[in-house]
Protein backbone atom coordinates (compact mmCIF):
# COMPACT_ATOMS: atom_id res chain seq x y z
CA UNK A 1 0.00 0.00 0.00
CA UNK A 2 1.46 3.37 -0.95
CA UNK A 3 0.57 6.80 0.39
CA UNK A 4 1.30 8.71 -2.83
CA UNK A 5 0.17 8.25 -6.41
CA UNK A 6 2.97 8.75 -8.91
CA UNK A 7 1.23 8.42 -12.27
CA UNK A 8 2.59 11.81 -13.32
CA UNK A 9 6.13 10.75 -12.39
CA UNK A 10 6.26 7.33 -14.08
CA UNK A 11 9.54 6.64 -15.82
CA UNK A 12 10.25 3.92 -18.33
CA UNK A 13 12.60 1.16 -17.20
CA UNK A 14 14.60 -0.26 -20.12
CA UNK A 15 13.86 -3.92 -20.74
CA UNK A 16 17.58 -4.51 -21.26
CA UNK A 17 18.25 -3.46 -17.64
CA UNK A 18 15.53 -5.75 -16.32
CA UNK A 19 16.99 -8.66 -18.29
CA UNK A 20 20.45 -7.90 -16.94
CA UNK A 21 19.11 -7.93 -13.38
CA UNK A 22 17.27 -11.19 -14.03
CA UNK A 23 13.69 -9.98 -13.59
CA UNK A 24 10.76 -9.87 -16.00
CA UNK A 25 9.23 -6.75 -14.50
CA UNK A 26 9.61 -4.79 -11.25
CA UNK A 27 7.13 -5.21 -8.42
CA UNK A 28 4.77 -2.25 -7.81
CA UNK A 29 6.80 -1.03 -4.80
CA UNK A 30 10.04 -1.19 -6.79
CA UNK A 31 8.53 0.68 -9.71
CA UNK A 32 7.15 3.35 -7.41
CA UNK A 33 10.49 3.83 -5.67
CA UNK A 34 12.20 4.05 -9.07
CA UNK A 35 9.76 6.71 -10.29
CA UNK A 36 10.09 8.74 -7.09
CA UNK A 37 13.89 8.81 -7.12
CA UNK A 38 13.89 9.59 -10.84
CA UNK A 39 11.74 12.61 -10.07
CA UNK A 40 14.08 13.77 -7.28
CA UNK A 41 11.77 12.76 -4.43
CA UNK A 42 12.75 11.36 -1.04
CA UNK A 43 11.39 7.88 -0.36
CA UNK A 44 10.66 5.80 2.74
CA UNK A 45 10.20 2.08 2.05
CA UNK A 46 8.93 -0.50 4.55
CA UNK A 47 8.86 -3.95 2.98
CA UNK A 48 9.27 -7.36 4.63
CA UNK A 49 12.43 -9.40 4.22
CA UNK A 50 12.15 -10.96 0.78
CA UNK A 51 9.90 -8.15 -0.41
CA UNK A 52 12.46 -6.75 -2.85
CA UNK A 53 13.89 -3.76 -0.95
CA UNK A 54 17.34 -4.01 -2.51
CA UNK A 55 16.06 -3.55 -6.04
CA UNK A 56 14.32 -0.34 -4.94
CA UNK A 57 17.72 1.34 -4.68
CA UNK A 58 19.68 -0.75 -7.20
CA UNK A 59 17.34 -0.29 -10.16
CA UNK A 60 17.65 3.52 -10.54
CA UNK A 61 21.46 3.33 -10.54
CA UNK A 62 21.43 0.45 -13.04
CA UNK A 63 19.26 2.65 -15.28
CA UNK A 64 21.80 5.48 -15.23
CA UNK A 65 20.87 7.50 -12.13
CA UNK A 66 24.39 7.13 -10.85
CA UNK A 67 26.57 7.10 -8.94
CA UNK A 68 24.57 6.21 -5.86
CA UNK A 69 25.85 5.69 -2.35
CA UNK A 70 24.35 2.85 -0.31
CA UNK A 71 24.77 2.88 3.46
CA UNK A 72 24.45 -0.56 5.05
CA UNK A 73 25.43 -1.90 8.48
CA UNK A 74 25.69 -5.49 7.22
CA UNK A 75 29.14 -6.42 5.89
CA UNK A 76 27.94 -9.79 4.63
CA UNK A 77 25.02 -8.26 2.75
CA UNK A 78 27.25 -5.66 1.10
CA UNK A 79 29.57 -8.38 -0.16
CA UNK A 80 26.67 -10.51 -1.42
CA UNK A 81 25.05 -7.60 -3.26
CA UNK A 82 28.26 -6.28 -4.80
CA UNK A 83 29.21 -9.75 -6.03
CA UNK A 84 25.71 -10.32 -7.47
CA UNK A 85 25.61 -6.93 -9.19
CA UNK A 86 29.01 -7.47 -10.77
CA UNK A 87 27.89 -10.84 -12.11
CA UNK A 88 24.93 -9.02 -13.69
CA UNK A 89 27.15 -6.44 -15.31
CA UNK A 90 26.33 -3.56 -12.94
CA UNK A 91 29.44 -1.72 -11.73
CA UNK A 92 29.39 -1.84 -7.92
CA UNK A 93 31.97 -1.86 -5.14
CA UNK A 94 32.22 -1.50 -1.38
CA UNK A 95 34.54 0.50 0.83
CA UNK A 96 35.42 -2.13 3.44
CA UNK A 97 37.46 -1.12 6.48
CA UNK A 98 39.20 -4.49 6.41
CA UNK A 99 40.35 -4.08 2.79
CA UNK A 100 44.04 -3.65 2.05
CA UNK A 101 45.12 -0.12 0.98
CA UNK A 102 45.59 -1.10 -2.71
CA UNK A 103 42.01 -2.43 -2.84
CA UNK A 104 40.63 0.75 -1.22
CA UNK A 105 42.63 2.91 -3.61
CA UNK A 106 41.23 0.93 -6.56
CA UNK A 107 37.64 1.45 -5.35
CA UNK A 108 38.19 5.17 -4.86
CA UNK A 109 39.70 5.46 -8.33
CA UNK A 110 36.69 3.70 -9.88
CA UNK A 111 34.22 5.90 -7.97
CA UNK A 112 35.96 9.19 -8.71
CA UNK A 113 36.40 8.35 -12.40
CA UNK A 114 32.67 7.66 -12.81
CA UNK A 115 33.04 3.92 -13.38
CA UNK A 116 30.76 2.85 -10.50
CA UNK A 117 26.97 2.85 -10.47
CA UNK A 118 26.75 1.92 -6.78
CA UNK A 119 29.19 2.36 -3.91
CA UNK A 120 28.40 0.55 -0.65
CA UNK A 121 29.74 1.98 2.62
CA UNK A 122 29.30 1.21 6.30
CA UNK A 123 27.90 4.10 8.40
CA UNK A 124 31.08 4.21 10.50
CA UNK A 125 33.12 5.03 7.37
CA UNK A 126 31.14 8.25 6.97
CA UNK A 127 32.45 9.74 10.22
CA UNK A 128 35.67 10.65 8.38
CA UNK A 129 35.66 14.21 7.01
CA UNK A 130 38.12 13.23 4.29
CA UNK A 131 35.90 10.37 3.15
CA UNK A 132 32.84 12.65 3.10
CA UNK A 133 34.70 15.31 1.12
CA UNK A 134 35.78 12.76 -1.52
CA UNK A 135 32.25 11.38 -1.79
CA UNK A 136 30.72 14.85 -2.04
CA UNK A 137 33.15 15.88 -4.78
CA UNK A 138 31.61 13.26 -7.06
CA UNK A 139 28.07 14.63 -6.41
CA UNK A 140 26.14 11.36 -5.91
CA UNK A 141 22.74 11.30 -7.59
CA UNK A 142 21.04 9.79 -4.54
CA UNK A 143 21.70 8.30 -1.13
CA UNK A 144 20.23 4.95 -0.03
CA UNK A 145 20.05 4.12 3.67
CA UNK A 146 19.39 0.42 4.19
CA UNK A 147 18.25 -0.97 7.57
CA UNK A 148 17.05 2.56 8.28
CA UNK A 149 15.45 1.54 11.59
CA UNK A 150 19.01 1.64 12.99
CA UNK A 151 18.77 5.45 13.02
CA UNK A 152 15.81 5.48 15.39
CA UNK A 153 16.01 5.08 19.15
CA UNK A 154 12.56 3.48 18.84
CA UNK A 155 13.72 0.89 16.30
CA UNK A 156 15.45 -2.45 16.78
CA UNK A 157 19.25 -2.61 16.47
CA UNK A 158 19.82 1.09 17.20
CA UNK A 159 23.28 1.94 15.84
CA UNK A 160 24.92 5.19 16.99
CA UNK A 161 26.84 5.79 13.73
CA UNK A 162 23.48 6.15 11.98
CA UNK A 163 22.78 9.33 13.97
CA UNK A 164 25.29 11.20 11.83
CA UNK A 165 23.52 10.37 8.55
CA UNK A 166 21.44 13.55 8.57
CA UNK A 167 24.68 15.58 8.63
CA UNK A 168 26.19 13.19 6.07
CA UNK A 169 23.32 13.90 3.71
CA UNK A 170 23.86 17.66 4.04
CA UNK A 171 27.61 17.23 3.44
CA UNK A 172 26.83 15.31 0.24
CA UNK A 173 24.74 18.20 -1.06
CA UNK A 174 21.28 16.98 0.07
CA UNK A 175 20.79 14.39 -2.68
CA UNK A 176 17.41 12.61 -2.94
CA UNK A 177 17.39 9.92 -0.27
CA UNK A 178 15.69 6.54 -0.04
CA UNK A 179 15.45 4.97 3.42
CA UNK A 180 14.52 1.29 3.66
CA UNK A 181 13.65 -1.15 6.44
CA UNK A 182 11.76 -4.40 6.90
CA UNK A 183 9.79 -3.38 9.98
CA UNK A 184 8.98 0.04 11.39
CA UNK A 185 6.15 1.24 13.59
CA UNK A 186 4.60 4.63 12.74
CA UNK A 187 6.72 6.13 15.53
CA UNK A 188 9.90 4.67 14.03
CA UNK A 189 8.93 5.86 10.54
CA UNK A 190 8.47 9.41 11.83
CA UNK A 191 11.82 9.24 13.59
CA UNK A 192 13.59 8.00 10.44
CA UNK A 193 12.09 10.82 8.37
CA UNK A 194 13.00 13.43 10.99
CA UNK A 195 16.59 12.31 11.53
CA UNK A 196 17.31 12.04 7.79
CA UNK A 197 15.40 15.29 7.08
CA UNK A 198 13.31 13.58 4.40
CA UNK A 199 11.22 16.13 2.50
CA UNK A 200 7.60 15.00 2.13
CA UNK A 201 8.80 11.45 1.39
CA UNK A 202 6.92 9.10 -0.86
CA UNK A 203 6.03 6.38 1.65
CA UNK A 204 5.75 2.81 0.39
CA UNK A 205 4.34 0.31 2.87
CA UNK A 206 4.13 -3.40 2.11
CA UNK A 207 2.33 -6.15 3.97
CA UNK A 208 4.28 -8.24 6.45
CA UNK A 209 2.53 -11.61 6.07
CA UNK A 210 4.89 -14.39 4.93
CA UNK A 211 2.59 -17.42 4.57
CA UNK A 212 5.46 -19.64 3.38
CA UNK A 213 7.18 -19.39 6.78
CA UNK A 214 6.28 -21.97 9.42
CA UNK A 215 6.93 -20.32 12.79
CA UNK A 216 7.42 -22.75 15.69
CA UNK A 217 8.74 -22.45 19.25
CA UNK A 218 9.86 -25.20 21.61
CA UNK A 219 10.03 -24.54 25.34
CA UNK A 220 13.10 -26.07 27.01
CA UNK A 221 13.81 -26.46 30.73
CA UNK A 222 17.61 -26.83 30.62
CA UNK A 223 20.71 -26.50 28.46
CA UNK A 224 20.64 -30.27 27.91
CA UNK A 225 17.09 -30.00 26.60
CA UNK A 226 18.15 -27.13 24.33
CA UNK A 227 21.01 -29.18 22.85
CA UNK A 228 18.76 -32.20 22.40
CA UNK A 229 16.10 -30.10 20.69
CA UNK A 230 18.63 -28.67 18.25
CA UNK A 231 20.07 -32.14 17.61
CA UNK A 232 16.61 -33.48 16.79
CA UNK A 233 15.92 -30.57 14.45
CA UNK A 234 19.22 -31.09 12.65
CA UNK A 235 18.73 -34.84 12.34
CA UNK A 236 16.48 -34.04 9.38
CA UNK A 237 18.30 -32.65 6.35
CA UNK A 238 16.02 -29.76 5.46
CA UNK A 239 18.39 -27.89 3.17
CA UNK A 240 20.39 -24.67 3.66
CA UNK A 241 20.11 -23.58 7.30
CA UNK A 242 20.98 -20.46 9.29
CA UNK A 243 21.36 -20.93 13.04
CA UNK A 244 21.38 -17.76 15.15
CA UNK A 245 23.46 -17.71 18.34
CA UNK A 246 23.84 -14.70 20.67
CA UNK A 247 27.66 -14.47 20.84
CA UNK A 248 30.73 -15.36 18.80
CA UNK A 249 31.66 -18.00 21.38
CA UNK A 250 28.21 -19.58 21.08
CA UNK A 251 28.43 -19.70 17.29
CA UNK A 252 31.66 -21.67 17.60
CA UNK A 253 30.13 -23.98 20.19
CA UNK A 254 27.02 -24.77 18.16
CA UNK A 255 28.99 -25.18 14.92
CA UNK A 256 31.20 -27.68 16.70
CA UNK A 257 28.11 -29.54 17.95
CA UNK A 258 26.83 -29.79 14.37
CA UNK A 259 30.14 -31.13 13.09
CA UNK A 260 30.20 -33.77 15.83
CA UNK A 261 26.88 -34.97 14.37
CA UNK A 262 28.55 -35.26 10.99
CA UNK A 263 26.85 -32.11 9.62
CA UNK A 264 28.89 -29.62 7.59
CA UNK A 265 28.65 -26.36 9.54
CA UNK A 266 30.77 -23.28 10.20
CA UNK A 267 30.64 -20.36 12.61
CA UNK A 268 30.16 -16.96 10.98
CA UNK A 269 30.91 -13.78 12.94
CA UNK A 270 32.96 -10.57 13.07
CA UNK A 271 35.88 -12.20 14.88
CA UNK A 272 36.90 -14.28 11.87
CA UNK A 273 39.63 -13.12 9.45
CA UNK A 274 38.09 -11.41 6.45
CA UNK A 275 39.30 -14.04 3.99
CA UNK A 276 37.96 -16.93 6.09
CA UNK A 277 34.62 -15.18 6.53
CA UNK A 278 34.35 -14.59 2.78
CA UNK A 279 35.15 -18.23 2.06
CA UNK A 280 32.46 -19.43 4.48
CA UNK A 281 29.92 -17.05 2.96
CA UNK A 282 30.77 -18.10 -0.60
CA UNK A 283 30.64 -21.82 0.32
CA UNK A 284 27.21 -21.39 1.90
CA UNK A 285 25.85 -19.47 -1.08
CA UNK A 286 27.21 -22.13 -3.46
CA UNK A 287 25.74 -25.01 -1.38
CA UNK A 288 29.17 -26.39 -0.52
CA UNK A 289 28.27 -25.75 3.13
CA UNK A 290 24.82 -26.64 4.44
CA UNK A 291 24.74 -24.72 7.73
CA UNK A 292 26.15 -21.48 9.06
CA UNK A 293 25.90 -20.56 12.74
CA UNK A 294 25.86 -16.78 12.90
CA UNK A 295 25.55 -13.85 15.21
CA UNK A 296 22.60 -11.61 14.39
CA UNK A 297 24.69 -8.96 12.61
CA UNK A 298 26.12 -11.51 10.19
CA UNK A 299 23.11 -13.81 9.86
CA UNK A 300 21.01 -10.83 8.78
CA UNK A 301 23.50 -10.15 6.01
CA UNK A 302 23.12 -13.54 4.33
CA UNK A 303 21.47 -12.90 0.98
CA UNK A 304 20.56 -16.47 0.00
CA UNK A 305 17.00 -16.92 -1.34
CA UNK A 306 16.65 -20.66 -0.70
CA UNK A 307 17.34 -20.86 3.03
CA UNK A 308 14.97 -23.63 4.09
CA UNK A 309 15.40 -23.37 7.85
CA UNK A 310 16.17 -20.67 10.42
CA UNK A 311 16.91 -21.87 13.95
CA UNK A 312 17.31 -19.63 17.00
CA UNK A 313 19.26 -21.14 19.89
CA UNK A 314 17.85 -18.48 22.27
CA UNK A 315 14.86 -16.12 22.05
CA UNK A 316 15.59 -12.85 20.17
CA UNK A 317 15.32 -9.47 21.87
CA UNK A 318 11.82 -8.77 20.57
CA UNK A 319 9.13 -10.03 18.21
CA UNK A 320 10.19 -7.35 15.70
CA UNK A 321 13.79 -8.61 15.79
CA UNK A 322 12.61 -12.20 15.50
CA UNK A 323 10.50 -11.49 12.42
CA UNK A 324 13.42 -9.78 10.68
CA UNK A 325 15.81 -12.62 11.50
CA UNK A 326 13.37 -15.44 10.70
CA UNK A 327 12.62 -13.61 7.46
CA UNK A 328 15.99 -14.70 6.02
CA UNK A 329 14.26 -18.02 5.34
CA UNK A 330 12.16 -18.74 2.24
CA UNK A 331 12.93 -15.58 0.32
CA UNK A 332 12.32 -17.56 -2.88
CA UNK A 333 8.68 -18.01 -1.84
CA UNK A 334 9.05 -21.74 -1.10
CA UNK A 335 8.28 -23.11 2.40
CA UNK A 336 10.79 -22.56 5.18
CA UNK A 337 10.84 -23.65 8.82
CA UNK A 338 11.59 -21.11 11.53
CA UNK A 339 12.20 -22.71 14.92
Amino acid sequence: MARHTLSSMEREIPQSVLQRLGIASPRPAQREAFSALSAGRDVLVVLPTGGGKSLCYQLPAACGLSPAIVVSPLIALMKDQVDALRRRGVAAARLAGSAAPPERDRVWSQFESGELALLYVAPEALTSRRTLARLAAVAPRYLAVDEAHCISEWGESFRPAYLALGAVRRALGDPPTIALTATATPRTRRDIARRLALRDPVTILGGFDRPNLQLTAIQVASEDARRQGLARALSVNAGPTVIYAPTRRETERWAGACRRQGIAAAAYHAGLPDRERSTIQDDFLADRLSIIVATTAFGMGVDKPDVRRVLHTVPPRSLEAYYQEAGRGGRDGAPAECL
Side-chain angles (χ1 to χ4, degrees):
M1 177 180 68
R3 192 173 295 171
H4 296 264
T5 301
L6 294 171
S7 57
S8 62
M9 300 194 303
E10 284 293 329
R11 298 290 187 273
E12 286 301 318
I13 302 174
Q15 195 62 36
S16 59
V17 173
L18 296 176
Q19 290 173 350
R20 187 190 313 162
L21 293 173
I23 59 174
S25 63
R27 299 173 185 178
Q30 294 163 341
R31 182 176 292 278
E32 187 166 8
F34 173 85
S35 295
L37 280 175
S38 297
R41 297 285 301 275
D42 290 337
V43 189
L44 177 58
V45 177
V46 183
L47 290 175
T49 301
K53 290 190 300 298
S54 300
L55 205 65
C56 289
Y57 59 77
Q58 293 172 349
L59 189 56
C63 288
L65 195 68
S66 63
I69 295 173
V70 180
V71 179
S72 172
L74 302 170
I75 296 173
L77 187 62
M78 285 195 281
K79 179 183 183 303
D80 275 357
Q81 292 196 7
V82 168
D83 289 349
L85 286 166
R86 285 174 175 170
R87 287 194 298 269
R88 298 284 187 182
V90 178
R94 61 186 177 119
L95 278 175
S98 58
E103 170 66 13
R104 292 178 62 82
D105 290 344
R106 185 181 65 81
V107 171
W108 273 117
S109 176
Q110 290 176 326
F111 181 67
E112 290 171 337
S113 66
E115 294 177 47
L116 293 181
L118 293 133
L119 178 65
Y120 286 73
V121 297
E124 289 77 10
L126 298 174
T127 58
S128 163
R129 290 186 180 179
R130 183 168 182 269
T131 296
L132 270 183
R134 293 183 76 174
L135 293 173
V138 179
R141 300 289 298 277
Y142 64 91
L143 173 68
V145 180
D146 204 4
E147 307 294 337
H149 59 277
C150 292
I151 202 174
S152 172
E153 62 184 304
W154 309 113
E156 275 300 319
S157 307
F158 175 67
R159 190 150 167 173
Y162 265 66
L163 292 176
L165 292 184
V168 165
R169 181 185 180 186
R170 290 192 296 275
L172 295 176
D174 278 321
T177 296
I178 178 169
L180 311 98
T181 182
T183 55
T185 64
R187 189 182 199 182
T188 301
R189 295 201 300 270
R190 289 194 297 271
D191 208 22
I192 292 169
R194 178 177 64 84
R195 292 180 183 272
L196 287 175
L198 301 182
R199 299 160 295 220
D200 185 28
V202 174
T203 303
I204 302 169
L205 305 177
F208 61 87
D209 187 26
R210 297 280 304 283
N212 62 312
L213 300 185
Q214 178 186 338
L215 307 178
T216 307
I218 297 176
Q219 188 171 9
V220 295
S222 66
E223 279 303 308
D224 280 344
R226 190 190 312 277
R227 283 193 292 271
Q228 291 167 10
L230 186 66
R232 282 194 299 272
L234 293 175
S235 66
V236 178
N237 182 10
T241 298
V242 174
I243 301 176
Y244 284 103
T247 65
R248 298 179 190 180
R249 183 177 179 182
E250 286 292 288
T251 65
E252 298 283 358
R253 184 168 77 89
W254 286 108
C258 290
R259 290 192 294 269
R260 285 191 293 276
Q261 286 185 238
I263 301 168
Y268 186 62
H269 55 71
L272 298 173
D274 191 53
R275 180 174 295 180
E276 181 180 354
R277 199 167 56 229
S278 294
T279 298
I280 290 169
Q281 184 175 351
D282 291 342
D283 285 350
F284 184 65
L285 294 177
D287 294 322
R288 292 187 293 268
L289 180 68
S290 57
I291 293 175
I292 57 169
V293 190
T295 52
T296 299
F298 280 80
M300 280 295 291
V302 174
D303 192 18
K304 183 174 173 63
D306 61 342
V307 171
R308 298 274 69 89
R309 188 166 49 184
V310 178
L311 307 180
H312 280 77
T313 61
V314 297
R317 298 179 308 278
S318 69
L319 283 175
E320 183 182 39
Y322 175 66
Y323 204 65
Q324 286 201 351
E325 293 159 20
R328 304 318 292 177
R331 297 176 66 219
D332 56 2
E337 176 191 6
C338 306
L339 174 62

